[in-house]
């Protein structure tokens, strides 16, 4: 049906078994050198496709900004066919994305703050050693006309107590839920990701058409995402959203601890053994317990069950999972009705990875930590919709202007934790929620297919 | 462009939407019958009402000789009758068209089929192009509550109704009964308490 070996890796299947990563940022000063770098990488088979015959020790993938495509000498008539959001780049979109105040580009980390990254190089290793080795050989292959913009970005998955599931810095298991895509078999092996499609009229889940995530195929409603020209450049290519999201862990913990005291008073019979009010409140904000189990399936206590097939329709008032919780907003599943038709075009493949050292419980430090948010979609309208309408705004979920309690852009927002008639738990309102997550950089990238990289390397692109 | 109201606090939430498309005489007759049926048969209206980002949808047929003229302005000679679609919506334009095409494509196709060069609602890309070509921007728009979406208005009405009921039922209650009554109130409006106001610019 389609050719996995022509699509770059980490898109349709995640690199869960490559827990060590480093992101390098390149500036292309000479188009010829840029193209010969691509050519050398392709000739040596260094760009990792979605399918391999033998599992490599390290993987390398490339993505380009609009400036990067131009720096490689892509002709203007081709450049003009790329979508407006991509041409503008993430800095220009800052206001629309809620990157304001301390998240605005003037406060971003380097190289994002002062430079424009042309090429993003994503290197993953199964071991630290394999990663370092690949980084070293890559750096040696850089021609004079392509330089690295510092600092590079180390990242990696971490887990708790030898668990398999990986965590993010607020303490939740992450990397669980991703879209189930037509023609793509389940993530096997060490990948713990469990795919979930879009709901249909009967409330069952169906797979999502490939065109939502890869260019050149029909998407929801049979629509083809706009294709930059020439076709060879866009077919099997896609777009990547890269955001450095810094998490303020002490602020998050302090807020939860403080609110949990009053939250506990809304629970008449007290909490089940081993569950603290902090755990419960944090779970209500996320929509999952910290161990990843779902509030829909396991409303009273965490169970470590990582099932992802749950739906929201029989929890309409949010007694189990609040309407404003992070996972219910970012993928409302069947919560919005209409056979999923008002949410089906707003799905994202997430391949985020944490950076910085985890903060042990009850400790404080000045370390910087967070998530490198990585999302793939066949148009930036998918990401921008989720970010603007679902994360930073709440109307679709009866939350009016109130945003996501975990990742939203508002400072001092609120969230209602609906009560539960069956247990007598009363509604609770979290007021004055600080902004726990600040944007520290990132951009919009084009992820060429391997054939498209070859075309870019040849320098012989004609738009028609 | 004044496709939405604006006040000192920011941008209004309701976006106006006008599309004018030409139809021949036969189309005009069919569309009139269809609109008459839609008016009486509530199913389409109920679906439209359930789409809670949709404050208002309206179709009108304007016959070629019924266009208004300013004083002294000569009547133009038109070759077609026109179908005037007017609506307001909350949220982005693209999403609005997509939801329309995905959810309400049957009535949409029935009524617009008779307009010259209508491409059908699905796939949605040609429909978007068609609408862009025939959309007329509003010169003025007025909104009584620019800071309120349809859901905000519905929530506000609900909170008011419940509050009035509470006020009636809780008078002279002893503290423990009052607490029970208050908890009942809170439970009934818990998902209607979002903070609203214009979208900050
Ligand atoms: C630092 C900020 C963030 C943190 C800590 C965070 C954390 C999490 C966690 C723990 C989960 C549940 C585990 C899973 O399903 O993989 C999750 C799910 C998800 N998040 Fe985030 N997230 C953040 C930012 C964002 C942003 C900015 C977006 C979108 C613009 C987003 C979109 C999603 C989506 C789509 C899901 C899957 C929901 C589902 O399918 O049920 N996240 N996130």
């Amino acid at each position: 049906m389609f050719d996995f070996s022509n699509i770059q890796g980490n898109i349709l299947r995640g690199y869960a078994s490559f827990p060590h990563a480093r992101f390098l940022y390149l500036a292309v000063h000479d188009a010829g050198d840029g193209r010969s770098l691509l050519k050398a990488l392709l000739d040596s088979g260094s760009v990792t496709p979605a399918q391999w015959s033998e599992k490599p020790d390290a993987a390398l993938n490339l993505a380009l900004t609009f400036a990067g495509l131009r720096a490689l000498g892509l002709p203007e008539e081709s450049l003009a066919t790329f979508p407006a959001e991509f041409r503008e780049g993430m800095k220009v979109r800052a206001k629309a994305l809620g990157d304001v105040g301390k998240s605005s580009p003037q406060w971003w980390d380097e190289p994002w703050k002062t430079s424009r990254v042309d090429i993003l190089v994503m290197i993953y290793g199964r071991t630290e050693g394999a990663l370092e080795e690949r980084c070293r050989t890559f750096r040696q292959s850089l021609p004079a006309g392509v330089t690295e913009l510092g600092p590079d970005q180390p990242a990696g998955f971490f887990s708790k107590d030898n668990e398999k599931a990986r965590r993010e810095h607020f303490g939740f298991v992450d990397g669980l839920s991703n879209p189930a895509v037509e023609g793509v078999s389940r993530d096997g092996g060490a990948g713990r990701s469990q795919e979930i499609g879009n709901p249909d009229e009967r409330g069952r889940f169906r797979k999502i058409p490939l065109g939502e995530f890869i260019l050149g195929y029909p998407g929801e409603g049979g629509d083809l995402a706009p294709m930059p020209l020439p076709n060879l450049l866009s077919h099997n290519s896609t777009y990547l959203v890269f955001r450095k999201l810094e998490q303020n862990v002490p602020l998050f913990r302090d807020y939860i601890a403080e609110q949990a005291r009053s939250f506990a008073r809304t629970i008449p019979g007290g909490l089940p053994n081993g569950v603290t009010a902090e755990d419960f409140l944090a779970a209500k904000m996320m929509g999952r317990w910290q161990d990843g189990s779902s509030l829909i399936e396991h409303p009273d206590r965490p169970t470590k069950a990582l099932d992802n097939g749950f739906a929201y329709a029989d929890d309409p008032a949010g007694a189990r999972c609040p309407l404003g919780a992070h996972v219910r907003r970012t993928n409302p599943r069947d919560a919005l009705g209409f056979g999923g038709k008002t949410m089906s075009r707003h799905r994202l493949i997430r391949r985020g990875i944490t950076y910085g050292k985890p903060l042990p419980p009850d400790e404080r430090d000045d370390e910087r930590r967070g998530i490198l948010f990585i999302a793939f979609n066949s148009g930036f309208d998918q990401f921008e919709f989720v970010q603007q309408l679902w994360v930073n705004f709440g109307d679709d979920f009866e939350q009016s202007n109130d945003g996501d309690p975990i990742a939203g852009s508002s400072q001092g927002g609120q969230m209602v934790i609906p009560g539960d008639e069956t247990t007598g738990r009363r509604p609770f309102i979290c007021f004055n929620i600080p902004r726990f997550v600040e944007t520290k950089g990132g951009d919009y990238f084009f992820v060429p297919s391997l054939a498209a990289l070859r075309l870019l390397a040849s320098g012989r692109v004609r738009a028609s | 462009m004044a496709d939405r109201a604006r006040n000192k606090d920011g941008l209004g939430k309701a976006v106006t939407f006008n599309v004018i498309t030409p139809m021949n005489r036969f189309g005009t007759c069919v569309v009139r019958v269809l609109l008459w049926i839609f008016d009486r048969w509530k199913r389409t209206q109920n679906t439209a009402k359930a789409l809670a980002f949709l404050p208002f949808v309206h179709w009108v047929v304007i016959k070629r000789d019924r266009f208004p003229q300013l004083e002294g302005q000569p009547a133009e000679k038109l070759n077609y009758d026109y179908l005037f679609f007017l609506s307001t919506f909350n949220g982005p334009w693209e999403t609005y068209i997509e939801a329309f095409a995905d959810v309400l494509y049957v009535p949409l196709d029935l009524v617009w089929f008779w307009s010259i060069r209508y491409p059908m609602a699905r796939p949605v890309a040609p429909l978007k192009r068609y609408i862009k070509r025939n959309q007329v921007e509003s010169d003025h728009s007025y909104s009584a509550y620019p800071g309120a979406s349809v859901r905000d208005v519905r929530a506000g009405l609900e909170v008011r109704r419940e509050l009035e009921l509470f006020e009636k039922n809780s008078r002279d209650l002893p503290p423990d009964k009052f607490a029970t009554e208050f908890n009942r109130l809170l439970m009934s409006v818990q998902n209607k308490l979002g903070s609203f106001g214009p979208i900050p610019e």
Side-chain angles (χ1 to χ4, degrees):
Chain A
M1 196 188 104
F2 57 94
D3 188 3
F4 270 110
S5 58
N6 190 20
I7 298 174
Q8 287 204 55
N10 204 24
I11 304 170
L12 297 173
R13 291 199 189 109
Y15 282 168
S17 53
F18 296 81
H20 309 276
R22 194 173 286 272
F23 298 85
L24 313 185
Y25 310 122
L26 306 183
V28 177
H29 310 287
D30 178 274
D33 277 1
R35 292 198 293 260
S36 58
L37 171 67
L38 294 191
K39 185 165 183 308
L41 289 171
L42 290 164
D43 287 347
S44 58
S46 303
V47 181
T48 312
Q51 192 174 33
W52 49 68
S53 42
E54 198 181 321
K55 189 169 186 166
D57 285 334
L60 181 149
N61 293 96
L62 299 171
L64 298 100
T65 56
F66 185 69
L69 289 174
R70 176 172 273 154
L72 285 180
L74 196 67
E76 289 300 323
E77 65 269 24
S78 172
L79 288 169
T81 59
F82 279 84
E85 303 94 320
F86 176 65
R87 281 182 276 152
E88 290 176 4
M90 214 165 77
K91 261 187 195 168
V92 176
R93 312 290 293 172
K95 263 203 180 139
L97 298 177
D99 295 337
V100 295
K102 278 197 325 206
S103 286
S104 54
Q106 68 188 106
W107 301 109
W108 283 3
D109 292 343
E110 294 298 356
W112 308 106
K113 182 178 161 184
T114 44
S115 322
R116 181 76 201 239
V117 172
D118 289 330
I119 303 181
L120 171 67
V121 186
M122 300 168 272
I123 306 180
Y124 288 74
R126 290 167 71 183
T127 60
E128 189 72 50
L131 170 69
E132 290 316 320
E133 173 60 20
R134 180 57 67 90
C135 290
R136 207 172 46 77
T137 48
F138 175 79
R139 282 179 165 134
Q140 280 167 355
S141 71
L142 279 184
V146 180
T147 54
E148 211 182 314
L149 297 164
D152 65 4
Q153 177 69 60
F157 296 132
F158 69 87
S159 54
K160 199 178 132 184
D161 314 328
N162 299 323
E163 280 176 358
K164 217 168 167 199
R166 61 190 212 239
R167 303 257 172 169
E168 53 72 46
H169 290 291
F170 293 148
F172 295 89
V173 167
D174 200 2
L176 290 175
S177 181
N178 260 314
V181 184
E182 275 175 15
V184 182
S185 59
R186 279 192 142 220
D187 235 337
R192 298 201 65 116
S193 164
Q194 300 178 39
E195 288 89 8
I196 184 84
N198 282 335
D200 63 15
E201 303 283 358
R202 288 163 302 174
R204 267 179 272 173
F205 288 97
R206 57 169 175 83
K207 286 195 160 192
I208 303 166
L210 185 63
E212 291 296 308
F213 308 108
I214 301 287
L215 291 169
Y217 301 89
E220 291 287 341
D223 287 296
L224 206 64
M227 296 277 283
L229 295 175
N231 261 309
L232 182 58
L233 188 63
S234 44
H235 196 68
N236 288 319
S237 303
T238 188
Y239 298 109
L240 178 161
V241 177
F242 188 88
R243 283 164 79 70
K244 185 174 184 183
L245 301 179
E246 186 170 295
Q247 297 174 261
N248 192 333
V249 177
L251 187 67
F252 180 75
R253 289 182 183 166
D254 288 351
Y255 182 80
I256 296 283
E258 179 211 316
Q259 295 285 311
R261 283 197 292 276
S262 356
F263 178 56
R265 291 199 289 270
T266 65
I267 309 165
L271 283 153
N273 263 349
V275 181
T276 65
E278 273 101 332
D279 294 340
F280 200 30
L281 183 61
K284 290 288 187 185
M285 290 167 91
M286 178 58 77
R288 285 181 184 265
W289 296 97
Q290 292 197 320
D291 74 358
S293 47
S294 138
L295 278 181
I296 291 291
E297 309 272 8
H298 315 280
D300 306 319
R301 57 161 66 78
T303 62
K304 288 202 153 85
L306 301 182
D307 39 274
N308 192 29
F310 57 87
Y312 298 112
D314 59 356
D315 183 33
R320 283 176 274 161
C321 180
L323 310 190
H326 177 67
V327 301
R328 188 165 176 159
R329 286 165 171 272
T330 50
N331 177 11
R333 306 184 183 213
D334 59 350
L336 305 182
F338 299 105
K341 282 175 177 159
T342 58
M343 56 68 74
S344 59
R345 296 172 189 265
H346 313 301
R347 296 295 303 278
L348 302 168
I349 292 181
R350 294 178 306 130
R351 302 291 179 211
I353 184 166
T354 41
Y355 69 92
K357 276 204 290 292
L359 184 64
D362 306 317
E363 283 183 28
R364 313 182 84 85
D365 65 10
D366 297 327
E367 179 92 14
R368 318 254 316 256
R369 51 175 66 85
I371 288 182
L372 301 171
F373 176 87
I374 293 176
F376 295 97
N377 49 200
S378 59
F380 291 102
D381 53 316
Q382 280 164 251
F383 162 72
E384 289 201 347
F385 182 92
V386 177
Q387 179 73 33
Q388 282 177 265
L389 276 296
W390 287 353
V391 172
N392 292 342
F393 190 60
D395 197 63
D396 276 356
F397 318 107
E398 314 282 338
Q399 306 291 300
S400 302
N401 294 4
D402 295 330
D404 189 310
I406 303 283
S409 63
S410 69
Q411 187 60 259
Q414 62 169 47
M415 178 197 186
V416 176
I417 315 273
D420 186 348
E421 266 172 289
T422 57
T423 65
R425 187 172 48 74
R426 296 190 299 278
F428 179 74
I429 308 181
C430 299
F431 288 108
N432 242 319
I433 307 177
R435 183 169 184 166
F436 299 121
V437 173
E438 302 279 1
T439 311
K440 288 292 165 199
D443 214 332
Y444 288 165
F445 292 87
F446 177 63
V447 189
S449 71
L450 275 85
L453 279 172
R454 183 73 64 198
L455 183 71
L456 286 167
S458 78
R460 285 192 297 271
V461 183
R462 243 163 237 107
S464 49
Chain B
M1 190 171 63
D3 63 347
R4 47 169 100 187
R6 181 189 295 272
N7 70 11
K8 64 174 180 19
D9 301 315
L11 219 47
K13 285 178 179 164
V15 186
T16 65
F17 184 83
N18 324 298
V19 180
I20 303 185
T21 51
M23 295 184 296
N24 62 28
R25 286 206 165 86
F26 178 69
T28 305
C29 296
V30 181
V31 168
R32 284 190 153 167
V33 173
L34 282 169
L35 293 182
W36 185 85
I37 296 172
F38 285 162
D39 235 16
R40 272 147 198 83
W41 190 58
K42 299 287 179 211
R43 209 172 123 187
T44 302
Q45 291 186 32
N46 288 339
T47 313
K49 272 185 200 153
L51 283 172
F53 54 81
L54 203 65
F56 179 77
V57 203
H58 198 80
W59 268 303
V60 210
V61 174
I62 310 179
K63 299 274 286 177
R64 61 197 71 189
D65 53 359
R66 299 296 298 276
F67 275 77
Q69 277 92 36
L70 295 173
E71 232 179 64
Q73 182 189 11
E76 51 277 86
K77 249 183 76 96
L78 298 172
N79 297 322
Y80 293 103
D81 298 328
Y82 285 83
L83 181 61
F84 188 15
F85 178 81
L86 57 163
S87 159
T88 54
F89 61 93
N90 303 137
W93 186 92
E94 303 266 344
T95 317
Y96 167 65
I97 311 286
E98 286 159 7
F100 239 107
D102 286 343
V103 179
L104 282 171
Y105 59 94
V106 175
L108 211 63
D109 282 345
L110 277 173
V111 176
W112 257 338
F113 180 81
W114 313 97
S115 286
I116 308 291
R117 304 185 75 163
Y118 175 68
M120 306 302 278
R122 304 199 305 171
V124 74
L127 176 71
K128 285 183 185 165
R129 281 197 295 275
Y130 181 75
I131 290 176
K132 271 198 187 116
R133 270 203 295 270
N134 292 290
Q135 190 173 355
V136 181
E137 265 174 25
S138 305
D139 285 335
H140 301 282
S141 59
Y142 171 78
S143 173
Y145 301 102
S149 67
V150 178
R151 285 190 185 88
D152 293 335
V153 172
R154 286 184 191 163
L157 291 171
E158 184 88 1
V159 169
R160 184 197 174 117
R161 208 168 22 245
E162 290 293 328
L163 211 61
E164 281 169 355
L165 202 68
F166 171 72
E167 202 256 348
K168 229 178 20 222
N169 294 346
S170 64
R171 237 173 263 165
D172 310 321
L173 286 182
D176 57 327
K177 293 256 170 56
F178 182 91
T180 313
E181 210 39 45
F182 179 79
N183 285 335
R184 195 202 55 76
L185 167 74
L186 199 56
M187 203 71 181
S188 68
V189 299
Q190 58 181 359
N191 286 314
K192 312 254 175 293
L193 300 175
S195 23
F196 73 89
I199 306 166
E201 273 177 274

